[in-house]
Amino acid sequence: SLRQAARLMITVSDNTSASLLVRTLGPDNINRFMRQNGLTHSYLDWWGGGDNLTTPLDMLREMEMIATSGMVSAQSSREMINTMLDQQIDDLLPVGLPDGTPFAHKTGALDSLLHDAGIVYSPTGPYVIVVMSSYLDNYDTAHNVMSALSQRVYNYFASRPSSPALYFPETTQSVGHDFLKFWFAYGGIETFGYPIAPEQLKDGVLVQQFERARFELRAENANDGGGYTQVGLGLLGTERANQLGLSWSRSPDPGTGKFFPQTGQAITGAFYDYWLNNGGARLFGYPISPAADMVSPADSKTYTTQWFERARMEIHPDLPAGHRIVLGTLGREVASPR
């Protein structure tokens, strides 16, 4: 399959697979895609008598775009990173890294050329490194220089003062700074799930997508009080409900729990206890639906469900007491709607 060919091309540098993919996609289409993504010094001369060309700067840009989902979707970027993490040719830049350091990379070797490029997931956060060499009399010099350079770059970043960061191999993403502190302070994996994308600037706001939430760094969030005051959550509940075409009529105050005139909905029973004791409006927002049996968009099973501006709560009766309220995977659903 094309997927298998791509994997062989990356992990063992299989030229037959690369030829298959180029013939299938077409070199003109590949060159056009590279130009569209700013790789202006890279060119695939597959049928002519010239060279296939690129530069270290283009490769740095490409790796950065893969690391930040800037070239293709976040899901496709993760698949590309996971493939490069399975690289089998590890005798160049990885030699200079501490054992066990995740390095998503691709090597290249041809005649007097030897290259290695990728994303290093260091304890202080990921960085991109590219080393390209040419006119080599033998490969020994490149091997020695690459491993030494890799070690120096790693040590440089490892010695720099930095805010705390945590790498999640489950999704090959890192969380740092106030986002990490907020993640720990308000429930971690159980509340937010794993990060599924890197930090990104969107319309001037720093955001990061998690399985169940979207973190946003805004100065106006300081008015909400609590710790890490500039961190807030995006309105994923409202966004996902809109994607699904869901809306609910306003209801009268039932006289129990807590009624929100802003949305005309109330929270009662187990949902109210969970909302009250786990962050309230700051984490979940106001309710936008009544509690009712609904089919979950995540697994197509029916649960007692209530939608909120920033969350979807579901009661899973098969789980142990105290853990039966589960937050829906709104981050994944909004990122990949169906």
Side-chain angles (χ1 to χ4, degrees):
S1 68
L2 294 178
R3 184 180 296 272
Q4 290 171 320
R7 182 173 182 81
L8 289 170
M9 178 183 68
I10 296 298
T11 59
V12 296
S13 201
D14 183 78
N15 289 334
T16 302
S17 297
S19 298
L20 168 67
L21 290 169
V22 171
R23 290 198 305 270
T24 302
L25 297 172
D28 291 342
N29 291 325
I30 296 172
N31 286 326
R32 187 180 304 112
F33 182 80
M34 288 193 292
R35 289 195 301 271
Q36 289 171 347
N37 285 280
L39 307 181
T40 56
H41 295 89
S42 299
Y43 182 72
L44 190 64
D45 188 1
W46 201 253
W47 309 123
D51 283 333
N52 303 314
L53 302 174
T54 191
T55 64
L57 187 61
D58 270 11
M59 290 299 96
L60 278 170
R61 175 176 175 82
E62 180 184 29
M63 292 299 164
E64 183 180 11
M65 293 179 76
I66 293 173
T68 60
S69 304
M71 181 180 293
V72 292
S73 70
Q75 180 178 348
S76 295
S77 297
R78 286 196 300 274
E79 291 183 15
M80 293 163 74
I81 290 169
N82 287 335
T83 299
M84 292 195 296
L85 284 170
D86 288 338
Q87 176 63 251
Q88 303 300 300
I89 305 172
D90 285 330
D91 59 350
L92 298 173
L93 290 175
V95 176
L97 301 173
D99 290 343
T101 302
F103 184 30
H105 67 118
K106 173 68 177 77
T107 64
L110 181 67
D111 298 330
S112 62
L113 308 174
L114 195 62
H115 312 316
D116 203 354
I119 310 156
V120 177
Y121 293 92
S122 76
T124 55
Y127 63 86
V128 172
I129 183 170
V130 175
V131 180
M132 302 176 68
S133 57
S134 59
Y135 302 109
L136 297 171
D137 294 329
N138 61 72
Y139 284 159
D140 291 343
T141 300
H143 278 273
N144 294 334
V145 171
M146 283 193 191
S147 61
L149 179 60
S150 180
Q151 183 179 41
R152 291 186 182 188
V153 173
Y154 180 92
N155 290 341
Y156 169 81
F157 284 112
S159 65
R160 303 283 291 178
S162 64
S163 297
L166 183 61
Y167 171 70
F168 293 85
E170 295 84 355
T171 56
T172 68
Q173 300 296 333
S174 295
V175 183
H177 315 293
D178 279 358
F179 283 171
L180 181 62
K181 299 171 187 175
F182 187 91
W183 186 86
F184 273 121
Y186 289 96
I189 289 175
E190 187 169 345
T191 302
F192 306 116
Y194 293 112
I196 58 174
E199 291 182 1
Q200 293 178 309
L201 274 176
K202 291 191 175 181
D203 299 324
V205 177
L206 187 67
V207 303
Q208 186 164 16
Q209 196 88 342
F210 291 76
E211 290 177 309
R212 299 186 176 98
R214 183 178 65 239
F215 287 16
E216 301 178 349
L217 194 68
R218 299 174 180 267
E220 60 267 28
N221 289 335
N223 298 327
D224 292 339
Y228 322 109
T229 55
Q230 294 191 61
V231 179
L233 301 183
L235 301 176
L236 286 186
T238 300
E239 293 173 23
R240 181 59 172 148
N242 290 339
Q243 281 183 344
L244 296 171
L246 299 175
S247 62
W248 297 271
S249 302
R250 297 173 66 89
S251 304
D253 186 347
T256 59
K258 185 173 178 63
F259 179 73
F260 294 84
Q262 298 92 334
T263 59
Q265 303 293 342
I267 319 174
T268 61
F271 286 140
Y272 180 54
D273 292 339
Y274 187 89
W275 183 91
L276 192 63
N277 295 321
N278 291 278
R282 184 175 187 191
L283 254 64
F284 310 117
Y286 300 146
I288 59 174
S289 83
D293 287 345
M294 300 181 188
V295 176
S296 172
D299 61 12
S300 300
K301 295 182 180 179
T302 299
Y303 305 104
T304 302
T305 303
Q306 187 161 19
W307 289 74
F308 295 77
E309 292 173 311
R310 299 184 172 100
R312 184 181 68 240
M313 296 184 191
E314 302 170 350
I315 297 179
H316 290 226
D318 54 320
L319 295 179
H323 299 277
R324 289 176 181 162
I325 292 186
V326 174
L327 298 177
T329 55
L330 293 177
R332 286 198 179 279
E333 295 169 33
V334 167
S336 302
R338 49 181 184 137

